[in-house]
Amino acid sequence: MINGLRNSIYFISIFFATCLLQACGERIVYHTYRPVPAKRWAPSDTLVYEVEISDSAVTLTLTAEVRNRNTYPFQNLTLNVASNFSDTARWVNQKADFILTDEEGQWKGTGWGSLYSSGTSLGHVYIARPGTYTIRVTHDMRTEELEGIQDVGIRLAYP
């Protein structure tokens, strides 16, 4: 009898702890990084993300993320982010602007050693129906090949 009561209390405690953690945390629908080809990113190199969304009539927060090495030669980074969330035949283009260092050249992102991570919100997207949606990312810097960018990530989460 005492063992049964202990087991019941244990499972109820685990259930409530799980519910509490789910309620407090951000509910992520999609979060993936793509590596930059050969550590040199040409303007024609497009990173493609195929996003399967099973919900309908939902609003999600879209975030672009970047991992850069300390060899990245610029203070900022601008990405072109094209998505087809509103209609699979219509593309919406957005700019994702990152400030990666301060005026003194200190890295602003989180990280250690030679790798840093930064993110910027691109606002909210409305998903009308379940389906597979595509996000395409290219860089918009004034150089033929961009060095020092390791990975680019896309995150979709409930607000």
Side-chain angles (χ1 to χ4, degrees):
M1 172 98 177
I2 293 179
N3 265 350
L5 184 58
R6 282 185 187 162
N7 285 343
S8 295
I9 291 173
Y10 173 76
F11 285 115
I12 291 171
S13 299
I14 295 295
F15 174 76
F16 281 117
T18 303
C19 290
L20 181 62
L21 288 174
Q22 294 246 342
C24 294
E26 179 183 48
R27 293 186 349 190
I28 296 175
V29 174
Y30 179 85
H31 191 202
T32 298
Y33 279 88
R34 297 274 186 258
V36 171
K39 308 302 181 232
R40 292 177 155 248
W41 195 6
S44 61
D45 293 334
T46 303
L47 303 176
V48 179
Y49 306 81
E50 296 291 330
V51 182
E52 182 70 33
I53 298 180
S54 58
D55 286 341
S56 61
V58 296
T59 299
L60 301 173
T61 301
L62 175 61
T63 304
E65 300 174 330
V66 65
R67 291 182 186 141
N68 66 285
R69 292 184 304 281
N70 62 0
T71 58
Y72 182 72
F74 304 108
Q75 181 181 13
N76 67 323
L77 172 67
T78 300
L79 302 179
N80 296 313
V81 180
S83 61
N84 66 349
F85 290 114
S86 60
D87 180 353
T88 56
R90 195 178 117 236
W91 290 88
V92 174
N93 296 305
Q94 295 178 275
K95 296 279 189 197
D97 292 313
F98 296 85
I99 303 296
L100 300 177
T101 68
D102 61 19
E103 291 77 23
E104 288 81 38
Q106 297 296 312
W107 296 106
K108 295 182 81 161
T110 60
W112 59 94
S114 63
L115 191 63
Y116 296 88
S117 297
S118 301
T120 187
S121 176
L122 295 173
H124 294 94
V125 294
Y126 178 74
I127 308 299
R129 62 187 179 282
T132 301
Y133 299 90
T134 304
I135 301 171
R136 298 179 183 154
V137 179
T138 58
H139 79 76
D140 194 26
M141 301 298 285
R142 296 180 197 164
T143 184
E144 280 305 306
E145 289 190 337
L146 194 58
E147 295 183 45
I149 301 298
Q150 181 88 22
D151 306 290
V152 176
I154 294 294
R155 184 178 66 204
L156 284 162
Y158 289 95

